[in-house]
Amino acid sequence: MNRVTGIVLAGGQGRRMGGVDKGLQLLHGKAMVEHVLGRLAPQVGEILINANQNLEAYARFGYRVVPDAIGGFAGPLAGLHAGLGAATHELVLTVPCDSPFLPLDLLVRLQKQLAGKDLAVARTGDQPHPVFALVRTAVKKNLENFLAGGGRKIDAWYATLKVAEVAFDDETDAFRNINTREELNRA
């Protein structure tokens, strides 16, 4: 089995969707997070779900739920931090709960470019997708220091690391996330 921990980032407040938990919203009769888990599970050896509300609902999917250690819905970096602390493998693959079409070859393609880097992140065209990343757990202390200093922007943290951007120009729709009710209805 692949020695990578998958972390589904579901810790946000869903403000753009009216304050609902996006990962639990139904898409084609299943919670969005269920679609994400179905595409992520074959790629990794372990899955953690980072959530800060509806913990019992997320636990029903059969994976360990890990809330942020930092209060106040501090964003995806807080979710990554929580996941890095709970992961049992040296690599973690992060994906958001609201991207039900994520690539089935995400891990393989990011892993090919990770050598000598702290993390590999997906990119389509000129657009990086920072929450689709393969990260070495060795960066945990660096991340803790960044967060302790008040840092919250994922791009600013990435700027302190050795990062490989991996082109997924052939799969641009795979990174489409669903942030609003309108986007959910269209999907």
Side-chain angles (χ1 to χ4, degrees):
M1 186 40 91
N2 210 327
R3 299 195 50 78
V4 175
T5 298
I7 303 171
V8 178
L9 300 170
Q13 293 176 293
R15 285 188 298 261
R16 288 182 283 181
M17 200 175 275
V20 299
D21 197 324
K22 289 193 291 185
L24 298 176
Q25 299 309 298
L26 296 183
L27 174 67
H28 305 300
K30 293 192 321 192
M32 267 201 288
V33 73
E34 251 182 297
H35 293 278
V36 171
L37 291 166
R39 295 178 80 84
L40 179 63
Q43 300 185 57
V44 296
E46 167 188 45
I47 291 181
L48 302 170
I49 300 174
N50 164 249
N52 294 308
Q53 53 191 353
N54 302 308
L55 304 186
E56 289 176 11
Y58 279 109
R60 285 191 211 112
F61 296 106
Y63 300 102
R64 188 167 154 212
V65 179
V66 182
D68 291 353
I70 297 166
F73 294 93
L77 285 180
L80 173 59
H81 174 259
L84 287 172
T88 60
H89 300 300
E90 291 182 17
L91 295 174
V92 299
L93 178 64
T94 63
V95 297
C97 70
D98 62 356
S99 292
F101 313 110
L102 69 98
L104 295 171
D105 60 351
L106 181 65
L107 175 63
V108 170
R109 290 172 69 173
L110 292 176
Q111 237 171 351
K112 284 181 182 173
Q113 303 297 320
L114 188 63
K117 305 289 185 183
D118 297 313
L119 66 89
V121 63
R123 174 182 51 78
T124 52
D126 293 336
Q127 177 65 50
H129 302 284
V131 291
F132 291 90
L134 183 62
V135 184
R136 295 185 190 280
T137 56
V139 301
K140 184 174 183 257
K141 188 66 182 163
N142 176 295
L143 178 55
E144 283 175 0
N145 293 338
F146 181 81
L147 292 167
R152 296 294 181 267
K153 299 272 186 216
I154 201 165
D155 298 341
W157 180 59
Y158 281 4
T160 71
L161 303 170
K162 293 184 211 157
V163 177
E165 287 191 0
V166 182
F168 280 84
D169 294 341
D170 58 318
E171 296 192 66
T172 54
D173 278 353
F175 299 97
R176 183 173 52 147
N177 63 342
I178 298 173
N179 286 312
T180 66
R181 290 263 177 225
E182 295 75 33
E183 290 172 356
L184 183 61
N185 291 334
R186 281 197 305 267

